[in-house]
Amino acid sequence: MAFYGVNLEVKVRELNLQFKLALQSKGGSVGLRTLAKIFQRMDVNGNRKLDSSEFEQALGAFGFFPKKVELQALMKFYDVNNDGHISYEEFIRGLRDELSPRRVKMVEKIFQSLDRDGSGQISLSDVVQIYDVSMNHEFIEGKKTREQIIGEFLNGFEGARGNKDGVITKDEFFDYYTDLGMSVPSDEYFVRMLESAWQCPEEEADPSAQASIRMLIEEVRKRILELAKGDPKLIKKIHSDFDLNQSGSLTIDEVTNMIAKLKISVERKYVYPFFKFIDQDNSGNISFEEFEVYVLNK
């Protein structure tokens, strides 16, 4: 579709850039707090969403006066769910900057690691293998189960474009981190934050990362053999002791706990590569057989 002879998407993005520049010239840095205040001022009737009239008035207040057809195109661009209004979430989404190449690469890597079956979407069963709830205060206090916490976590990704179905598409995943990235100006901090949250190093092939992972593999093996006191039969008991829910296999949470109990200091981002090293069948759990093969270095 064309817009005055120009591709519609290109033209709308040009208009939106003009609006963003107008916001910056009037309001300074366009961070989340600033945008929240701007949206509140725009929302004349206080219903937490903007109709076309409020949106037009808001644009004018910032010195931006698009033509009627341009206003309609911008309104459609912001109104993701097509309900005739712009919610705060839609407003933020429309003004955000795209992820930098480094951020895109990191988010893509994490999505691929979660999408274990290659379906192009993430379900509860995908996330449960990696997401660690052990430090969540509601889990510790027994207020919520692991499944409830992870379910809420999944729904947190389903923003303006989500349908609250408990499944995250790749677009929804990228939308979430693009929104989050607005409040994280540094690529370095953004990447480190994701490394910690998902226990996933940015560059596993990096020599220092490889060295840390190898160190963890060898140190855990050494500590377990010390606990077993040279008796291979005790390895099964050790596996069972760390299997806190007695499911017969170790989850990522239980492996994280095991490393802590063994008093091994390591950055969280190296735990998942370590976990994958032992989980030879890529099931998302470490069976006793896999544990034994790892410990005895068979």
Side-chain angles (χ1 to χ4, degrees):
M1 184 181 294
F3 190 106
Y4 297 136
V6 180
N7 178 277
L8 177 60
E9 183 177 350
V10 173
K11 182 61 180 179
V12 169
R13 291 190 180 281
E14 288 178 357
L15 290 169
N16 198 45
L17 177 59
Q18 292 175 39
F19 178 39
K20 288 169 69 174
L21 292 173
L23 285 175
Q24 290 173 348
S25 67
K26 296 283 185 177
S29 175
V30 185
L32 286 176
R33 289 186 180 181
T34 302
L35 290 177
K37 292 178 181 178
I38 290 172
F39 184 86
Q40 193 172 28
R41 290 205 304 269
M42 289 177 168
D43 183 18
V44 178
N45 61 14
N47 66 349
R48 299 179 63 82
K49 52 188 177 182
L50 307 178
D51 57 29
S52 59
S53 176
E54 288 174 321
F55 189 48
E56 183 176 16
Q57 290 177 40
L59 295 176
F62 285 95
F64 184 50
F65 302 96
K67 298 175 182 178
K68 185 174 181 179
V69 66
E70 293 175 333
L71 175 65
Q72 291 173 341
L74 268 178
M75 186 74 188
K76 187 174 182 180
F77 171 75
Y78 277 86
D79 181 18
V80 177
N81 64 3
N82 296 312
D83 68 350
H85 296 83
I86 301 172
S87 67
Y88 172 69
E89 190 175 27
E90 289 172 327
F91 180 67
I92 294 297
R93 179 181 176 274
L95 287 171
R96 70 189 184 186
D97 292 320
E98 294 305 310
L99 293 171
S100 69
R102 185 181 178 190
R103 297 187 187 201
V104 167
K105 184 178 178 181
M106 188 64 186
V107 174
E108 176 73 31
K109 179 177 182 180
I110 292 170
F111 185 85
Q112 294 301 330
S113 71
L114 291 169
D115 182 19
R116 304 175 70 85
D117 60 3
S119 64
Q121 58 186 23
I122 302 168
S123 65
L124 182 65
S125 60
D126 292 316
V127 174
V128 76
Q129 311 301 340
I130 301 177
Y131 190 58
D132 184 0
V133 305
S134 61
M135 299 305 292
N136 185 292
H137 73 278
E138 291 183 307
F139 178 75
I140 294 172
E141 295 169 5
K143 293 180 179 179
K144 292 182 179 179
T145 65
R146 175 188 176 85
E147 288 70 25
Q148 286 175 322
I149 293 170
I150 293 176
E152 291 174 0
F153 175 73
L154 280 170
N155 284 333
F157 279 91
E158 299 195 288
R161 296 176 61 182
N163 55 13
K164 308 298 181 184
D165 61 355
V167 174
I168 305 169
T169 65
K170 190 172 183 178
D171 283 346
E172 288 171 344
F173 195 75
F174 268 81
D175 274 348
Y176 176 86
Y177 277 112
T178 304
D179 290 344
L180 182 65
M182 288 184 66
S183 58
V184 185
S186 163
D187 278 2
E188 183 68 20
Y189 184 81
F190 181 88
V191 168
R192 298 297 167 248
M193 178 179 67
L194 266 64
E195 284 183 329
S196 177
W198 294 105
Q199 304 182 50
C200 179
E202 180 181 16
E203 296 290 350
E204 289 183 47
D206 179 75
S208 63
Q210 288 287 335
S212 295
I213 295 167
R214 283 196 303 271
M215 179 280 294
L216 183 58
I217 290 170
E218 294 304 321
E219 192 62 26
V220 171
R221 178 185 287 127
K222 175 185 173 184
R223 301 284 178 94
I224 291 173
L225 286 172
E226 288 174 353
L227 286 175
K229 299 178 181 178
D231 185 353
K233 294 179 181 178
L234 285 178
I235 294 175
K236 188 171 184 64
K237 182 180 185 306
I238 293 169
H239 179 272
S240 179
D241 287 345
F242 287 119
D243 179 15
L244 302 180
N245 62 6
Q246 292 300 295
S247 65
S249 59
L250 302 180
T251 65
I252 186 70
D253 289 352
E254 290 167 336
V255 168
T256 302
N257 176 67
M258 177 183 74
I259 292 170
K261 292 292 185 182
L262 293 174
K263 297 182 179 179
I264 298 173
S265 178
V266 65
E267 290 184 69
R268 284 174 56 86
K269 64 183 179 181
Y270 297 126
V271 175
Y272 186 57
F274 167 75
F275 183 88
K276 289 194 297 182
F277 175 81
I278 305 175
D279 180 22
Q280 291 296 306
D281 64 1
N282 199 35
S283 66
N285 294 282
I286 297 174
S287 65
F288 168 67
E289 290 74 18
E290 290 172 323
F291 188 73
E292 183 182 40
V293 167
Y294 157 65
V295 173
L296 297 180
N297 202 16
K298 291 184 177 180

